Amino acid sequence: MTHDSPTAAAERRVLAAIRAIPEGFVRTYGDVSPGAPRFAGHVLRAVHAPDVPWGRVVRADGSLAAGEKQRARLDAEGVPFRPGATARVDMRVARMAGEA
C-alpha cells in the first residue's frame, strides 16, 4: 500500500478536473481548484503531459494566462471570445457549469 502526500492527491484532483473539461468549454483556476486557484496554476506550470488540456483553464474574468498560444488553442475548439482589445473568453457561453 502506498501513501500519497496531501499535495500529490490534490494535484491528481486538479489534473482530473482539467482533463474532464470538454472541447469547446473552459473552467477557471478556481473551478478546478476550489479555494486555491493559484495551486491550479502551479500544477499546470509543472505538468507537461499531452493529455492535459491546459488551454481550457482561464482566469475568472475570462482572460488568458498564456496569451496568443492559449487563444489559438481555444479558437481552434470554437470557444467564443468577447469583443474588445483584451482577449477574454465569453464566460456566459463557454464556462462549464457544475462542480470540479
Side-chain angles (χ1 to χ4, degrees):
M1 177 187 212
T2 62
H3 295 282
D4 281 336
S5 73
T7 302
E11 287 174 356
R12 277 197 311 281
R13 283 192 299 274
V14 167
L15 289 171
I18 294 168
R19 286 182 175 112
I21 304 169
E23 186 173 315
F25 290 90
V26 298
R27 300 209 68 187
T28 68
Y29 290 93
D31 289 339
V32 298
S33 183
R38 289 183 183 187
F39 181 73
H42 166 76
V43 171
L44 283 172
R45 275 190 305 276
V47 173
H48 303 288
D51 67 327
V52 177
W54 60 267
R56 296 177 190 160
V57 182
V58 300
R59 295 179 181 130
D61 67 355
S63 64
L64 309 177
E68 289 303 312
K69 183 176 179 181
Q70 187 174 13
R71 170 79 189 243
R73 286 175 177 251
L74 294 174
D75 276 339
E77 292 186 4
V79 172
F81 283 79
R82 295 181 356 209
T86 303
R88 293 183 196 275
V89 171
D90 187 342
M91 298 298 279
R92 295 169 302 164
V93 177
R95 187 175 188 179
M96 187 178 142
E99 295 292 315

